[in-house]
Amino acid sequence: MPHPVYPPGGGARGPDPASGLHDQQYEHDACGVGFVARLHAPASHEVVERGLTVLNRMEHRGAEGADPETGDGAGILIQVPDAFLRDEAGVELPAPGRYGVAMCFLPPREERRPEAVKVLERAVEAQGLWVLGWREVPVDLNSCGRTAAACAPHVAQLFVGAPDGIADQDALERKLYVARRAAEREQVKGFSIASLSSRTLVYKGMLTAPQLPHYFPDLQDGRVESRLALVHSRFSTNTFPSWELAHPYRYIAHNGEINTLRGNVNWMRARESQLASELFGEGDLAKLLPIVRPGGSDSATFDNVLELLVLAGRSLPHAVMMMVPEAYGGREDIPEHLRGFYAFHSCLMEPWDGPAAVAFTDGRTIGATLDRNGLRPGRWLETKDGWVIVGSEAGMLDEPPANIARKGRLAPGKLFLVDLEEGRIVPDAEVKQEVATQQPYSDWYEKGVVRVADLPERFSKPEYAGSLLERQLAFGWSQEDLRMLLTPMARDAAEPTGSMGNDLALAV
């Protein structure tokens, strides 16, 4: 395929590192997240329109910079609109489910785009996939703020075909994932991939909520149809705004913070040497490392890990239950099989604790959950004509009371799940029953866990060799400890007190 000729445009900007007296890890606030799904009806543009309405009504949850027309980020994730893409791709596409589409943010400078194109095409072909062709995604630079336009990426879509040797759509999703990660590892400046999937497609950017459908005219086209729409209005938390870090990501949209992030990332990095998967194999697995992309936000990091767990063979609810477990210790209302599930998986992964509300989808199911702290809002309702609306607050869509079948709020640690293939909302207890009874997790835990109380006792007293000074050095004691801590305790029989305060003005 000939490479496209790209006119001048903007470019994706990577996350900003900490600098000076500012450290982005201390930035905290709240975003707006929501989704719309249709239970029984086929895909339609009305789902996309309603999703954009939900997004527009959460404009106040997104942030703006000194330029009030530049938002921290807004976006929408939909199912791949097959009919629309067949008309617009400019190439012949295989059957639905046998091709993927990448939403690419290419570098702002025209001379750098061929490198990004080459890197992605090479990664795709290395997976045995076909490069079918590129499509220029129309954008309206006048519909975003000056700051956003100054760093706006050139947006293009790459179409990727699956050869006959790829058995099913799940196998294709894994190939596309490995290709994307291999391309990302090349670290081409200003290049990022918002999504690469045969099931879902992401439109997002450094925009305000109302700007999104105007910036991307595709979203106003009646041929763009879906049965689900996941939307997000961003208030930047632990990173600065950028085109790449707008939500949704490949699987999630997130409101809140992951307060355990540093520990989660460190543990994930430490376990990479132990990762193994029959579905990926050693060769492809090596291309995925590091699983967590450096410099990403807490939401991007969460998405990185969830994506791996799902594509390695777990169901989406299973992966979410691993990462965001409910509080189960000391509770008598949790069945034994579920307690065993959580206990077993606690040996594999630590909880990703917030306050956090996470909406998630793989293109076939869509749902939401709160972490066990429950400190983020979430409302849901189901209508009698088959609509499901979930979001950060009530009133995101105007529904006559007579048409509301039921409604409620998200609860800590509970899953709200919509199965579009079955056309129903699956109760939390049913989801967890199915996931937790797939394997004998309780038995595995009991057989594998080693308790300190069960270890044999030591009968001989430990002997400490060396002089007093050598023992003090070995245990980290200092003159200050002896003078400031031990002496007051021995002399006064009281806890030592002190202060490290300094009321002198900073020498700025």
Side-chain angles (χ1 to χ4, degrees):
M1 286 290 173
H3 290 176
V5 178
Y6 297 114
R13 188 184 71 184
D16 295 303
S19 60
L21 296 177
H22 175 268
D23 192 333
Q24 58 203 23
Q25 69 174 317
Y26 297 115
E27 293 291 322
H28 305 281
D29 222 296
C31 310
V33 61
F35 69 78
V36 174
R38 197 74 194 269
L39 290 180
H40 306 293
S44 69
H45 186 63
E46 186 180 6
V47 173
V48 179
E49 290 179 330
R50 287 195 169 203
L52 292 171
T53 299
V54 167
L55 177 63
N56 198 36
R57 291 187 176 178
M58 292 192 295
E59 179 188 7
H60 61 285
R61 287 185 168 269
E64 298 165 354
D67 169 14
E69 296 300 318
T70 293
D72 277 15
I76 185 170
L77 179 153
I78 58 176
Q79 292 174 320
V80 168
D82 180 69
F84 170 76
L85 294 177
R86 287 185 185 281
D87 292 342
E88 298 293 331
V91 295
E92 184 176 350
L93 297 177
R98 299 299 298 173
Y99 73 92
V101 54
M103 179 67 87
C104 300
F105 289 169
L106 296 169
R109 296 172 59 176
E110 186 175 0
E111 63 269 21
R112 286 184 176 170
R113 292 178 204 151
E115 179 188 4
V117 168
K118 184 177 180 180
V119 162
L120 181 54
E121 289 186 351
R122 186 169 61 233
V124 165
E125 290 169 348
Q127 291 302 306
L129 304 172
W130 298 327
V131 174
L132 300 176
W134 289 82
R135 171 186 178 243
E136 304 291 327
V137 176
V139 299
D140 181 5
L141 283 171
N142 295 320
S143 295
C144 66
R146 288 175 297 173
T147 305
C151 61
H154 184 85
V155 187
Q157 291 168 340
L158 172 64
F159 298 96
V160 179
D164 294 337
I166 295 180
D168 54 29
Q169 196 171 5
D170 289 340
L172 175 57
E173 286 293 298
R174 282 190 290 274
K175 291 288 187 182
L176 295 172
Y177 170 48
V178 175
R180 194 195 86 233
R181 288 296 295 120
E184 289 172 340
R185 288 178 64 187
E186 297 288 333
Q187 296 184 334
V188 177
K189 187 175 182 180
F191 172 52
S192 64
I193 304 168
S195 63
L196 175 50
S197 173
S198 63
R199 293 190 174 111
T200 58
L201 184 60
V202 173
Y203 287 85
K204 68 177 185 178
M206 201 167 148
L207 308 164
T208 65
Q211 290 171 350
L212 183 70
H214 301 289
Y215 190 83
F216 293 108
D218 284 3
L219 297 175
Q220 301 181 59
D221 194 305
R223 296 169 295 168
V224 175
E225 298 178 329
S226 178
R227 289 186 64 196
L228 62 85
L230 173 60
V231 297
H232 188 274
S233 178
R234 187 177 188 224
F235 197 122
S236 297
T237 54
N238 57 9
T239 51
F240 285 120
S242 76
W243 285 81
E244 179 183 359
L245 293 180
H247 301 218
Y249 291 98
R250 268 70 62 169
Y251 278 80
I252 69 150
H254 171 229
N255 167 21
E257 303 89 32
I258 303 297
N259 288 342
T260 57
L261 182 63
R262 180 168 298 183
N264 293 134
V265 172
N266 289 343
W267 275 113
M268 197 68 208
R269 182 67 174 155
R271 292 187 177 114
E272 285 180 353
S273 62
Q274 298 176 302
L275 292 180
S277 171
E278 295 179 357
L279 295 176
F280 285 111
E282 287 187 16
D284 282 348
L285 201 56
K287 298 175 184 178
L288 305 177
L289 305 180
I291 300 302
V292 173
R293 289 187 65 196
S297 64
D298 54 352
S299 307
T301 298
F302 187 100
D303 186 78
N304 290 158
V305 178
L306 183 69
E307 183 177 36
L308 174 73
L309 295 177
V310 171
L311 293 177
R314 296 171 179 83
S315 68
L316 183 57
H318 185 157
V320 172
M321 288 168 63
M322 282 181 65
M323 295 184 69
V324 193
E326 62 184 311
Y328 67 95
R331 289 177 55 185
E332 298 180 357
D333 59 335
I334 295 226
E336 191 57 39
H337 61 267
L338 187 54
R339 190 188 309 278
F341 173 90
Y342 287 133
F344 174 80
H345 285 91
S346 71
C347 302
L348 305 181
M349 177 170 290
E350 299 71 28
W352 292 62
D353 271 340
V358 182
F360 50 85
T361 183
D362 58 3
R364 297 171 296 182
T365 58
I366 188 167
T369 188
L370 302 183
D371 76 309
R372 54 190 175 181
N373 299 301
L375 298 177
R376 282 293 180 265
R379 297 282 181 172
W380 64 268
L381 68 84
E382 179 187 4
T383 68
K384 294 177 181 177
D385 55 352
W387 289 91
V388 179
I389 301 104
V390 175
S392 296
E393 54 198 72
M396 294 179 299
L397 285 178
D398 297 324
E399 284 295 337
N403 190 39
I404 296 176
R406 50 184 175 151
K407 60 183 178 179
R409 63 181 296 272
L410 301 181
K414 302 298 183 182
L415 292 180
F416 182 89
L417 187 70
V418 181
D419 189 325
L420 293 178
E421 294 182 343
E422 294 186 8
R424 68 188 182 103
I425 298 174
V426 187
D428 171 82
E430 181 180 337
V431 176
K432 291 176 178 175
Q433 166 86 12
E434 180 181 348
V435 170
T437 57
Q438 288 177 341
Q439 301 290 349
Y441 294 114
S442 295
D443 293 343
W444 288 355
Y445 178 75
E446 291 300 327
K447 291 176 181 178
V449 71
V450 176
R451 294 178 172 83
V452 175
D454 297 334
L455 295 175
E457 294 184 18
R458 292 189 59 128
F459 295 99
S460 59
K461 293 184 178 181
E463 296 181 3
Y464 299 105
S467 67
L468 175 62
L469 177 59
E470 288 173 336
R471 282 179 280 169
Q472 288 172 338
L473 291 173
F475 284 87
W477 286 89
S478 67
Q479 289 286 349
E480 183 178 357
D481 295 322
L482 298 176
R483 186 176 69 255
M484 304 294 291
L485 299 179
L486 285 183
T487 299
M489 293 172 70
R491 183 185 62 223
D492 305 324
E495 290 287 341
T497 58
S499 172
M500 294 184 66
N502 186 342
D503 57 3
L504 297 177
L506 292 175
V508 177

